[in-house]
Amino acid sequence: MHGGSSSMKRLLTWATLVGSMSAVTKAACPFADPNYHLAKRDEGASQQTENILEEYEVDDSNAYMSSDVGGPMEDQNSLKAGYRGSTLMEDWIFRQKIQHFDHERIPERAVHARGAGAHGTFTSYADWSNITAASFLGGAGKKTPVFVRFSTVAGSRGSADTARDVHGFATRFYTDEGNFDIVGNNIPVFFIQDAIRFPDLIHSVKPSPDNEVPQAATAHDSAWDFFSQQPSTMHTLFWAMSGNGIPRSYRHMDGFGVHTFRFVTDDGNSKLIKWHFKTKQGKASLVWEEAQVLAGKNADFHRQDLWDAIESGNGPEWELSVQIVDEEKALAFGFDLLDPTKIIPEELAPLVPLGIMKLDRNPTNYFAETEQVMYQPGHIVRGVDFTEDPLLQGRLFSYLDTQLNRNQGGPNFEQIPINRPVSPVHNNNRDGAGQMFIHKNVYPYTPNTLNGGYPLQANQTHGKGFFTAPNRIVDGKLVRALSPTFDDHWSQPRLFYNSLTRVEQQFLINAIRFEASHLKNEQVKKNVLEQINRVSNDVAKRVAVALGLEAPAPDPAFYHNNVTAGLSIFNGTLPTIATLRVGVLASSFNDGSLAQARELKEQLSKEGVVVTVVGEVLKEGVDQTYSAADATGYDAVVVTDGAEGLLTGGKNSPLFPAGRPGQILVDSYRWGKPVAAVGENAGQALEQTVGVSRGQGEGVVVGEGVEQVVKGVEEGLRVFRYLGRFAVDEGAE
C-alpha cells in the first residue's frame, strides 16, 4: 500500500504539471487551443489609452498657422531681397520649416530613397575656358571621374522601380578642384517655385499618415488636392503623366539641372546656363499597364537593367550640354529664367554640347557607395555660380541639413569614401562624430602666425578659389512673396502637351484619368478639372468624361498652338539597340525549334541584343521557363517554328500557368512591341493569337527564315513601340 500510494502521488504530480504546462501554453498562444475564441476588445482598457493620448492630439481644422513655439505666421513664401533677389539666411520661418522636414525620416532619405548608382567618367570635348573657369571643362579630352545616382522621389527604399514618378538624376564630378554636384531630375522643371513649399509637396504625395497607403503613388486625394491648389505643379505634372514618368530604363532618359545657374570665367564675366544630359541610347518609355505589371513581376527592373548593361560592357552614355543666355535676357522670353517651373525652348537657346559622360563600373558595395553618397547643390566649384532661383536658394540649405541628419548628426559625412574629393582637403574643421582625419595642425584657426598663416585663403586672384560672380546685384525691399514674373503656370504645360504626338497625348490623358479616378473627394476632382482646363479645354473635357463630371467651359487666357523640339519620346528611332531584350518562344521538346532559337540568338547578339530563349523546361539551349517568363521582360518577342502548338493547342500544362505562352505574345503586341515568327505555321499562330491579318500590322514580322526575321526584329527594336496599336479618343483635337 505504501508503495502504491507513492506511485499515485507521482502520477498526480505529473498530471498537475502537464495541466499547468498546458495552461501556460494556451496563455502564451491562444491559437494553440482549437476551442479558444478571441475575446472582444476591452473597450474600457482602450478608452483609458485614448484618454492618456487625447491631451496630445492637435486639431488643425480651425486655426492660424503658427511656429513651433506658438507664434502666428505665414509659411508659403521665403524672405527675399527684392522679388527676384536671394533668399535670406535671416528667414527663420524657412529654416524652421525645412529643417523640421529634413529630419522627418531616419536613416532613409526623406525623398529619393530608392535608387541605383554607377561610376564612370566625363570627357570634355574642348577647352571651354572662354565661358567658364570650371577646371573639368578646361581642356579637350580632359577626363573627370563621376558617380551618378538615379532614383524615384516618393517611394520608400522598398518600393518598385517602375512607379510613375519624377526620377532623380544626380551626378557628382570628382574634379581636380573639388567635388561638383548637379543634383537634377529626368524632368527639366519642378512642381514648386519656392523651396519653403517643398514639405507641403512631399507631405501631399507621400502615403497617408494614418495607414501608410498608397506607397510610391500619387493616385490619391491629398496629392491631387495639392496639385489643384498649387497651379505651379501643372507643368511638371504633365511631364510626369507622360512617358517621362515611366522610363524604359535609367539609360533611356535624359537628365536636367532644373535650375538656371551661372557660368563664370576667370575674369568674372558670367552668363546664365541650364544643364542638360542627353541620353545616347535614345529616349524610351514603358506603357502604363506594362509598368504596373513590372512593379509586381520585377520591382528591381531599373536597377537590374543598369547593372546588367554595365556588366555586359554596354555602359550608358549621356552628352552634357548647356543652354547659354546673356544675363540681361533673363526676362526676354516671356517668362522668368529664375522660375524652376519653366524651360527655355531649344529654338530660343540652342544646346551647346560640352562633353560626354559614360558609366562603366558598378559599385562594389551598394550601402557603402550608392546609399551613403550624399549630394548637395552646394557642392560647387570655381567657374559655376548660383542664381536667385528661390527653389535653388532653399535647396542649398536643405541638402546640407539633410546630410547632417542622415549621418546621425555628425558633420563629417564628406569623409565617407564615396563622398571624398580627389583633391586634397585643408581647412579648420575639427572633431565631431565620425572624424576620420588625424590633423597635424594644432592651430586650427584663421588668421594665425603659429602655422605660418596656413591654410591660406583662396579667392578669385589667389589660389584659384571659388568666387561669386562679381556682377550679381541685390537690390530691392525685403519681401515675403514670389515675383509677379512667376505668375504664368499654364502656358508651358500647354507647350509641352502640344509638342507630343497624338498617341503620347492620349497616354498623358489616360494617366490623369487613372490617377483622378482614384480620388474620393468630388471637390478635389472639380478643382483638378479647373486647373487642367486652363491648359487645355480638350484635355479637361476628355478627363471629365472618364470621371463622370460635367466638362468646364473653355478658359482660353493661356491657350496657344506653339510647339518645341525634343519633348516627344516616341517620334524618333533609337540610335542603338544594344542591351534591348528579345524573348524567343520555343519548345523544349522540339529539336527544330531549339535549333532555330539558337540561330536567332546568335544573329541578334551580334547587335548587342540580349536574347532569352523560353521553353517548357530548362535544358541546354533554354534560358527561362514559361512559368517564369512574362512580356515585361522583353522589348520584342519571336515565335519559333515548332512552338506554335503552345499558342494554339488549347491544352493546359502543369509546367506553366494556363495560356502563358499566348499571354506573353498578346501582351507584347498590346504594349506596342515588335512581334515576329519564323515559318508559315508559327506565323499563322502569331496572327491568330494577336488578331492581325497578314501584312496588316506594323511591327508584326513573319519570315520564311531566320535572317529575314532578324532584320525585321532589329528594325522594330529601333522603332521601339508601334503607337498605331493604341486607341485614341474619338473627336480628339
Side-chain angles (χ1 to χ4, degrees):
M1 287 293 293
H2 180 75
S5 176
S6 176
S7 298
M8 182 63 71
K9 287 180 179 178
R10 285 196 297 271
L11 286 170
L12 288 171
T13 303
W14 178 247
T16 302
L17 178 60
V18 172
S20 300
M21 291 178 64
S22 177
V24 170
T25 303
K26 291 178 181 178
C29 182
F31 303 105
D33 183 355
N35 297 315
Y36 187 93
H37 298 285
L38 290 176
K40 185 180 179 183
R41 188 180 70 164
D42 186 341
E43 296 293 348
S46 174
Q47 188 60 49
Q48 290 177 3
T49 305
E50 291 180 15
N51 290 342
I52 294 171
L53 296 177
E54 192 174 46
E55 63 179 289
Y56 297 99
E57 293 179 354
V58 178
D59 184 358
D60 294 329
S61 62
N62 185 18
Y64 281 101
M65 185 74 67
S66 68
S67 69
D68 285 344
V69 291
M73 64 174 192
E74 62 170 291
D75 75 342
Q76 289 297 289
N77 295 288
S78 300
L79 184 65
K80 292 180 285 295
Y83 282 110
R84 301 180 69 249
S86 298
T87 301
L88 301 180
M89 194 170 182
E90 172 190 324
D91 190 358
W92 61 272
I93 294 176
F94 166 77
R95 285 186 288 110
Q96 172 192 278
K97 184 176 181 180
I98 292 293
Q99 192 163 37
H100 197 289
F101 172 76
D102 291 342
H103 293 253
E104 284 182 1
R105 300 287 189 277
I106 57 170
E108 180 176 290
R109 288 171 169 88
V111 289
H112 296 278
R114 181 172 182 82
H119 297 271
T121 57
F122 171 79
T123 305
S124 180
Y125 287 153
D127 178 355
W128 298 105
S129 57
N130 61 317
I131 55 174
T132 177
S135 67
F136 74 100
L137 295 170
K142 184 168 185 176
K143 293 185 180 296
T144 300
V146 299
F147 186 82
V148 180
R149 185 178 185 271
F150 306 100
S151 58
T152 52
V153 175
S156 68
R157 283 186 63 189
S159 59
D161 284 348
T162 58
R164 183 181 292 280
D165 205 344
V166 176
H167 288 67
F169 193 121
T171 306
R172 168 162 299 158
F173 299 81
Y174 297 91
T175 86
D176 50 16
E177 292 186 352
N179 288 354
F180 172 53
D181 293 351
I182 300 177
V183 194
N185 291 325
N186 76 320
I187 290 174
V189 289
F190 202 63
F191 291 99
I192 52 174
Q193 298 166 314
D194 190 328
I196 201 169
R197 300 174 184 176
F198 191 66
D200 302 303
L201 167 66
I202 300 304
H203 287 168
S204 74
V205 302
K206 282 285 191 179
S208 180
D210 53 359
N211 59 12
E212 191 67 7
V213 175
Q215 179 59 245
T218 55
H220 54 92
D221 283 52
S222 63
W224 286 83
D225 183 30
F226 182 83
F227 297 154
S228 63
Q229 295 299 300
Q230 186 72 64
S232 66
T233 62
M234 286 295 107
H235 195 187
T236 304
L237 192 62
F238 269 51
W239 279 78
M241 293 296 112
S242 74
N244 294 279
I246 46 174
R248 158 60 175 81
S249 74
Y250 296 136
R251 302 177 297 115
H252 290 92
M253 65 186 193
D254 291 339
F256 303 91
V258 178
H259 309 287
T260 299
F261 291 85
R262 283 180 167 91
F263 265 173
V264 189
T265 60
D266 274 324
D267 58 9
N269 291 324
S270 65
K271 292 184 181 294
L272 301 177
I273 63 111
K274 278 186 175 286
W275 297 106
H276 295 252
F277 287 96
K278 293 296 185 181
T279 174
K280 301 292 284 183
Q281 291 69 236
K283 290 192 293 185
S285 82
L286 306 170
V287 296
W288 178 229
E289 186 185 2
E290 179 187 17
Q292 290 176 291
V293 174
L294 259 175
K297 294 282 186 177
N298 184 1
D300 304 307
F301 181 74
H302 283 158
R303 59 171 62 182
Q304 186 71 57
D305 173 272
L306 179 64
W307 182 280
D308 289 347
I310 292 173
E311 288 297 295
S312 70
N314 292 289
E317 296 181 323
W318 287 264
E319 187 169 67
L320 177 63
S321 301
V322 287
Q323 291 176 291
I324 304 175
V325 177
D326 292 337
E327 294 248 9
E328 61 272 16
K329 293 184 178 180
L331 295 172
F333 302 113
F335 57 89
D336 195 331
L337 289 191
L338 300 185
D339 182 350
T341 69
K342 303 296 190 296
I343 62 169
I344 314 174
E346 292 181 18
E347 296 83 358
L348 303 180
L351 296 178
V352 178
L354 301 179
I356 194 80
M357 179 175 75
K358 181 176 179 63
L359 302 183
D360 55 13
R361 181 166 63 86
N362 283 313
T364 302
N365 183 278
Y366 180 90
F367 181 82
E369 297 165 85
T370 306
E371 186 61 25
Q372 288 198 125
V373 67
M374 298 183 184
Y375 294 93
Q376 291 184 53
H379 284 157
I380 199 77
V381 291
R382 177 186 176 93
V384 184
D385 196 10
F386 309 115
T387 62
E388 292 68 35
D389 172 350
L391 181 63
L392 173 60
Q393 292 275 315
R395 291 179 76 198
L396 295 175
F397 167 80
S398 182
Y399 277 68
L400 173 59
D401 183 53
T402 300
Q403 311 307 6
L404 290 170
N405 178 49
R406 295 193 68 236
N407 201 45
Q408 304 303 313
N412 295 309
F413 55 86
E414 307 286 21
Q415 297 176 19
I416 296 171
I418 191 66
N419 295 319
R420 289 184 184 179
V422 296
S423 54
V425 176
H426 301 288
N427 57 43
N428 293 327
N429 295 338
R430 291 295 185 271
D431 307 335
Q435 176 59 251
M436 299 296 170
F437 295 154
I438 302 172
H439 293 94
K440 297 171 67 175
N441 175 19
V442 296
Y443 308 106
Y445 52 87
T446 298
N448 71 71
T449 56
L450 297 178
N451 197 49
Y454 291 97
L456 301 176
Q457 302 289 305
N459 53 34
Q460 182 177 358
T461 57
H462 294 87
K464 298 194 72 175
F466 172 81
F467 63 98
T468 299
N471 60 356
R472 289 181 64 177
I473 298 172
V474 175
D475 182 21
K477 296 179 180 179
L478 302 191
V479 294
R480 194 174 288 280
L482 282 169
S483 172
T485 57
F486 283 29
D487 283 350
D488 176 6
H489 307 301
W490 304 279
S491 294
Q492 287 221 341
R494 187 175 178 96
L495 176 69
F496 174 77
Y497 181 79
N498 291 348
S499 303
L500 302 181
T501 66
R502 193 160 179 255
V503 175
E504 284 178 292
Q505 292 176 344
Q506 186 70 54
F507 287 164
L508 187 155
I509 289 168
N510 290 348
I512 297 176
R513 285 169 168 171
F514 173 86
E515 300 238 340
S517 68
H518 285 76
L519 305 182
K520 308 300 181 186
N521 187 282
E522 292 300 312
Q523 187 58 51
V524 172
K525 293 179 186 178
K526 293 176 182 177
N527 292 344
V528 169
L529 290 178
E530 180 182 345
Q531 290 299 335
I532 293 174
N533 190 46
R534 294 179 180 178
V535 178
S536 166
N537 182 248
D538 178 53
V539 175
K541 287 191 296 185
R542 292 159 73 180
V543 172
V545 168
L547 299 181
L549 296 175
E550 184 178 348
D555 188 357
F558 299 94
Y559 295 173
H560 61 79
N561 296 317
N562 299 333
V563 298
T564 186
L567 303 190
S568 171
I569 292 176
F570 291 110
N571 66 350
T573 56
L574 298 181
T576 176
I577 60 173
T579 73
L580 294 184
R581 298 178 176 273
V582 172
V584 175
L585 306 187
S587 174
S588 302
F589 308 116
N590 186 305
D591 292 341
S593 172
L594 292 180
Q596 206 172 78
R598 183 169 57 251
E599 188 178 355
L600 284 164
K601 190 170 189 175
E602 290 173 356
Q603 295 298 321
L604 288 167
S605 297
K606 293 177 182 179
E607 290 290 323
V609 174
V610 179
V611 177
T612 300
V613 178
V614 187
E616 298 95 323
V617 298
L618 294 176
K619 61 183 296 186
E620 185 177 354
V622 178
D623 305 306
Q624 189 177 41
T625 64
Y626 283 105
S627 64
D630 188 82
T632 55
Y634 321 118
D635 298 297
V637 170
V638 183
V639 183
T640 59
D641 192 10
E644 62 273 4
L646 297 173
L647 303 178
T648 60
K651 181 181 178 182
N652 289 339
S653 169
L655 294 174
F656 49 78
R660 175 59 59 81
Q663 179 190 8
I664 294 171
L665 189 61
V666 169
D667 284 347
S668 296
Y669 180 81
R670 289 194 306 113
W671 297 337
K673 301 179 182 184
V675 294
V678 184
E680 181 64 25
N681 292 334
Q684 289 181 358
L686 180 152
E687 292 163 350
Q688 179 181 337
T689 302
V690 302
V692 62
S693 301
R694 183 68 55 94
Q696 297 300 307
E698 252 194 327
V700 179
V701 179
V702 177
E704 294 181 4
V706 168
E707 186 174 336
Q708 183 182 357
V709 168
V710 166
K711 181 179 179 182
V713 169
E714 290 176 348
E715 290 176 355
L717 288 173
R718 288 187 175 88
V719 174
F720 192 67
R721 295 297 165 95
Y722 288 89
L723 300 188
R725 299 179 197 167
F726 297 93
V728 177
D729 292 332
E730 291 185 13
E733 293 179 6

